[in-house]
Amino acid sequence: MILTRRLAMAAVLFAGALLSTGASAETPMGDGGTIRLMSNPVGTQSYPPYVIDKFNLDEKYGFKLEVIPFTNPQAAVAALQSASIEAVVQDWISVARLRNQNIPVIGVAPFLSYVNTVLLPADSTVKTLADLKGKRLGTYTKTGFDWIILQAVAKTQYGFDLAKEVTLQEGAPSLLRGSLEQGQLDATLMYNSLTPDMILSGNAKLLMTIHDVVAELGLAEAPFLMYAMREDYAKANPQNAKAFVAAYQEAIDILLSNADVWKEQGQNMKLAPEATEMFRQNASKEFIKAFTPAMAGVLDQTFKVLLDTAGPDTMGMTAMPDAVLTLDYQP
């Protein structure tokens, strides 16, 4: 049922985006300048820039895309503050925190819905979150969305405080993977890009996706990750911002229709072909091509759930900023 709803919603979002793009009378064109994008080089984030480069979409839309790899979120914040990048892939909570800290960034294009997973050892008898009581659980950050939303579901759907009932281990995804496979964890949150290989290795199995968790709370579809741009740059260079979004949207069209580019980038990431195919099937269902007017309200609603669960100290804010996204630069 959840899968059917997700596919139906994805189809609606995608069709709406196609209609809005098709209705545009003029192709956005930049001024030939460079847009420096900070992006994780090995996960799902790597695919749109790879496609833009392969098909020369930046050239088509009149700008030059320069991809700057990063894995440390603080490096992205420093780069934004020093104006050494124009855009970065960020989750909406991070964008909200930055805006509340007077670091003016704004989401100009959506990217992915909630794609990460909760994995178990292959021989685990755990069936639901309630079965994790007294167990050892891994997370990549105690202040991130995935861990907080798990607590929200445990509280509202199962009636217990997950943070008090598990032994929590915080660490990098690669460390968590090793700990799970070596029997040192009973469950772990995991990035979607690493999930297929772990499952296909026979060492892990899926308990749930974060998308399923969000749906269990009755929250509507919205982008978790988005392309955020320095607001001063976007306002000063609106045609470049629109050109960037147009190139991204065409890259998504290609990713939704061309399996070969997945195979190529999968090889670059040193993924097994079977893992790449599983990755493609899972990730492609979570692409969001265009913002809709309703999404800001959905994020506000989601924030209220998170704030009620985790509190202002963990969230790093007591209220949402004036905006985290804009439709101004969609073609």
Side-chain angles (χ1 to χ4, degrees):
M1 190 74 178
I2 289 173
L3 179 60
T4 302
R5 187 187 68 81
R6 287 165 57 186
L7 290 173
M9 180 60 72
V12 170
L13 291 173
F14 182 60
L18 284 176
L19 288 172
S20 65
T21 302
S24 177
E26 183 179 346
T27 299
M29 288 296 294
D31 62 10
T34 297
I35 295 178
R36 297 165 294 181
L37 169 69
M38 227 170 185
S39 179
N40 190 318
V42 295
T44 317
Q45 292 183 30
S46 70
Y47 278 80
Y50 174 78
V51 171
I52 289 172
D53 179 66
K54 178 179 174 64
F55 292 91
N56 298 316
L57 299 182
D58 53 348
E59 181 179 337
K60 174 180 177 178
Y61 290 100
F63 70 98
K64 173 64 179 175
L65 182 65
E66 178 184 343
V67 179
I68 300 171
F70 86 110
T71 55
N72 183 345
Q74 292 307 312
V77 174
L80 288 167
Q81 288 180 300
S82 64
S84 55
I85 59 170
E86 281 68 57
V88 64
V89 179
Q90 285 280 19
D91 63 79
W92 66 265
I93 298 175
S94 296
V95 173
R97 286 171 179 156
L98 290 172
R99 287 185 68 82
N100 278 339
Q101 294 164 14
N102 295 317
I103 302 174
V105 296
I106 191 72
V108 296
F111 179 31
L112 288 174
S113 185
Y114 303 99
V115 295
N116 293 328
T117 60
V118 181
L119 296 184
L120 306 169
D123 59 355
S124 175
T125 59
V126 169
K127 301 297 182 185
T128 70
L129 277 181
D131 298 328
L132 292 178
K133 291 180 180 180
K135 304 291 187 182
R136 300 160 299 178
L137 175 65
T139 181
Y140 16 85
T141 172
K142 296 177 182 178
T143 60
F145 179 90
D146 294 349
W147 167 235
I148 298 172
I149 205 72
L150 281 185
Q151 294 177 74
V153 167
K155 177 182 178 181
T156 60
Q157 306 299 109
Y158 297 96
F160 74 100
D161 188 334
L162 184 64
K164 293 181 179 179
E165 297 286 353
V166 300
T167 300
L168 194 65
Q169 177 179 321
E170 187 176 18
S174 57
L175 175 63
L176 298 175
R177 174 177 182 169
S179 296
L180 186 79
E181 294 176 344
Q182 294 164 21
Q184 298 167 2
L185 287 174
D186 300 300
T188 187
L189 286 157
M190 186 50 57
Y191 286 172
N192 70 315
S193 56
L194 298 179
T195 293
D197 195 51
M198 293 178 67
I199 292 176
L200 290 171
S201 71
N203 294 321
K205 64 181 179 181
L206 182 69
L207 174 62
M208 62 183 65
T209 68
I210 298 302
H211 199 138
D212 294 337
V213 175
V214 172
E216 205 169 339
L217 287 171
L219 298 170
E221 297 280 346
F224 174 57
L225 291 177
M226 61 180 64
Y227 286 87
M229 190 169 280
R230 287 181 14 242
E231 195 167 26
D232 60 341
Y233 175 83
K235 288 181 176 179
N237 302 273
Q239 287 306 114
N240 283 359
K242 289 179 181 179
F244 172 83
V245 175
Y248 161 75
Q249 291 184 343
E250 185 166 344
I252 293 301
D253 287 341
I254 292 170
L255 286 166
L256 289 172
S257 61
N258 186 333
D260 289 339
V261 294
W262 289 89
K263 294 176 184 177
E264 293 167 8
Q265 182 61 358
Q267 289 174 348
N268 294 337
M269 294 168 58
K270 297 181 170 52
L271 294 178
E274 298 84 2
T276 298
E277 179 56 22
M278 182 183 290
F279 183 36
R280 182 185 71 83
Q281 291 180 12
N282 293 335
S284 60
K285 289 183 291 190
E286 308 298 348
F287 285 133
I288 301 178
K289 185 176 171 182
F291 287 134
T292 67
M295 285 179 179
V298 173
L299 295 183
D300 286 342
Q301 180 187 8
T302 306
F303 171 76
K304 291 176 182 177
V305 172
L306 300 180
L307 184 65
D308 181 60
T309 300
D313 289 342
T314 298
M315 291 302 297
M317 52 186 172
T318 58
M320 288 283 276
D322 59 333
V324 295
L325 61 87
T326 177
L327 280 66
D328 290 350
Y329 305 110
Q330 293 189 156

